[in-house]
Amino acid sequence: MLEFATDTYFTLINSTWQHMLYDNGRVISGLIYYIFEEYLHLTVQEVYSISYISAILFLTISLYLCAKIIGIYCNNVLCTIIIASSVIVNIFSIEYFLFIEKGIFMLGILLATLAFKFTYEFFDKRKIKYIIFSEVLLVCTVYIYQQYMALYVILCLPFIIKYADNFLKFIQNNIVVALLYGSSMGIANVTTKYVLHSYRLPENYNINLLNTIHSIKNVFVNSGFIIPKYLFVVAIVCSIVINILLNKKNFWHTIYLFFGTVVVTFMPYFIGITSDYSIRIMYPVASIVGILILNVFVNNNIDTIQKIDLTKVLSLGVLLALFVIQMYSFQCNFIERYKCNQTDKYICSIIIDRINKYQSENGLEIDTICIYEDAQRTWSYEGLNRSWLNPRSFVTSWSDVNAINYYSGRNFQRGEVDEEVMAYFASHNWDTFSDEQLLFEDQTLHLCVY
């Protein structure tokens, strides 16, 4: 079923390949969009279907590759699949499936997973060709979505420990991963800033450590309101306890894995590149439970432990409980996304009807829509949950007028606000749609978002 993120309305109305290439610096994403827009000329439903099918395919391959490596250390197939799923399909992965470019997003995850596979091969065989393969794949990854680089690093962390016979080898392994990460990001940043001249890289970095730390706490406590409050924290604590009880030496391993995951995920926030705490950007940090459980099997000679059965039961119990709740929450979020989309369409239809009525009565054609807010504009519609995943089309500047354009087939322009009209709308506080939120003036519609 076709569904819309706020970005989708922009994508369907505008030339997206230029936006992806020049505004975001996503070279591969821009190339894919270019082919779809300039050569294939497919319908919206066809593009959406291709994107969805390819997303499932790429995600499945990613899980397979990850599970194959985990299977070396865990001979239980069910356990292997669950651990791989908890890392790759974590609680924050849902947002990628809420965008029309879900296929491209999953391609990025596949490339990052492949890069991890070759880095693992390097740790195991110490052949330089695997480093070259990893570097090429990581450059391709960062040209799709920069934050997948953090997923690559997080996947490598338990194996950095595994293939470190001494402290010096541990440092060397970290340097290898850091150089692969840094060089790939450096190539992408140079391309983005100096070749494509994207605004994505700011001139002045706004570093706010206290705000970042506060936001990290909110992520762990609220988990984007996707799953029940505190559940993510409980799962992390259980994973830490399992590691430490199994082997006291795991204390430092656990500290390393925990802070490594947090730091690499939130690095863009620590250095001031971004302040956008969208779920899709924080996706890598949600792999922390799976990585901690993976460490139980990778770095403990699990087959020789007497309490192996209890360890498996505890590990699988944590992951299964989280996964079941996660999948239930995913279904609820998808259903609510459809409800939000339907309400958007309904309100757009009312607005289009009022525009048509005004035009027929006054002999004028509306060509401009100016957007305003009332005293307390709401993020989503009443009755939908508190998740960060259900914004309505009228709450972002790139989707408000574009949604009306999409459903009307018109090309209304977004106009500049009028100060008097803005003050008038700000003095009201509506709880539902009303005709009072529409003020017509010549060829302009002043529209208030409640």
Side-chain angles (χ1 to χ4, degrees), residues 155-201:
L155 283 167
C156 290
L157 294 180
F159 301 96
I160 288 176
I161 299 172
K162 179 66 178 179
Y163 285 91
D165 300 330
N166 51 56
F167 185 71
L168 179 60
K169 186 65 72 66
F170 174 74
I171 296 298
Q172 290 175 346
N173 290 344
N174 275 280
I175 290 174
V176 168
V177 173
L179 287 176
L180 285 168
Y181 173 90
S183 60
S184 303
M185 290 292 284
I187 291 171
N189 289 346
V190 168
T191 305
T192 302
K193 187 170 184 177
Y194 298 105
V195 178
L196 301 174
H197 305 289
S198 170
Y199 68 86
R200 282 287 181 174
L201 291 178

Side-chain angles (χ1 to χ4, degrees), residues 215-404:
S215 298
I216 292 173
K217 184 197 76 171
N218 286 339
V219 169
F220 284 126
V221 172
N222 299 321
S223 56
F225 302 101
I226 296 173
I227 58 176
K229 192 175 183 179
Y230 298 114
L231 179 61
F232 188 39
V233 173
V234 171
I236 293 172
V237 171
C238 290
S239 304
I240 291 173
V241 169
I242 291 171
N243 268 277
I244 295 176
L245 289 180
L246 187 62
N247 188 342
K248 291 183 179 179
K249 292 181 180 179
N250 275 355
F251 176 78
W252 294 112
H253 292 177
T254 305
I255 294 295
Y256 170 74
L257 293 171
F258 180 86
F259 283 100
T261 301
V262 172
V263 169
V264 75
T265 298
F266 289 92
M267 184 62 69
Y269 302 95
F270 285 125
I271 63 179
I273 291 179
T274 182
S275 59
D276 179 6
Y277 289 91
S278 299
I279 294 300
R280 63 186 179 278
I281 297 178
M282 294 182 290
Y283 157 76
V285 79
S287 299
I288 192 169
V289 177
I291 286 296
L292 287 169
I293 296 299
L294 175 59
N295 186 65
V296 170
F297 291 87
V298 172
N299 289 306
N300 285 288
N301 295 321
I302 197 79
D303 291 331
T304 65
I305 296 173
Q306 293 181 351
K307 295 183 179 180
I308 176 65
D309 292 335
L310 178 59
T311 304
K312 281 184 177 179
V313 169
L314 289 175
S315 300
L316 284 174
V318 171
L319 294 183
L320 274 174
L322 183 63
F323 188 76
V324 169
I325 296 172
Q326 172 185 327
M327 288 298 107
Y328 172 77
S329 299
F330 279 16
Q331 299 309 310
C332 292
N333 273 285
F334 271 111
I335 292 170
E336 295 197 341
R337 169 58 69 93
Y338 294 133
K339 291 179 179 178
C340 183
N341 289 164
Q342 189 64 32
T343 308
D344 281 339
K345 181 179 180 180
Y346 178 64
I347 292 179
C348 285
S349 298
I350 296 175
I351 294 170
I352 294 164
D353 176 74
R354 302 300 187 267
I355 291 174
N356 292 335
K357 183 178 179 181
Y358 172 83
Q359 291 180 156
S360 62
E361 290 178 351
N362 295 275
L364 296 171
E365 183 173 345
I366 297 296
D367 56 19
T368 303
I369 299 178
C370 302
I371 303 297
Y372 304 82
E373 297 179 7
D374 70 0
Q376 292 184 320
R377 188 208 67 183
T378 55
W379 174 253
S380 193
Y381 294 108
E382 185 178 0
L384 302 187
N385 68 10
R386 298 177 61 202
S387 163
W388 297 348
L389 302 178
N390 287 307
R392 54 198 181 117
S393 65
F394 295 100
V395 297
T396 63
S397 59
W398 55 85
S399 62
D400 44 24
V401 176
N402 277 327
I404 300 173

Side-chain angles (χ1 to χ4, degrees), residues 55-71 77 80-90 93 97 106 109-111 113-114 116 151 155 283 323 326-327:
I56 294 172
L57 176 63
F58 294 146
L59 184 59
T60 303
I61 297 172
S62 300
L63 285 170
Y64 173 78
L65 293 172
C66 189
K68 286 288 287 184
I69 294 176
I70 296 172
V77 175
T80 298
I81 295 170
I82 292 173
I83 294 173
S85 298
S86 66
V87 176
I88 303 295
V89 194
N90 61 49
S93 64
F97 273 89
M106 292 304 109
I109 288 179
L110 173 57
L111 293 175
T113 307
L114 273 170
F116 152 67
L151 174 66
L155 283 167
Y283 157 76
F323 188 76
Q326 172 185 327
M327 288 298 107

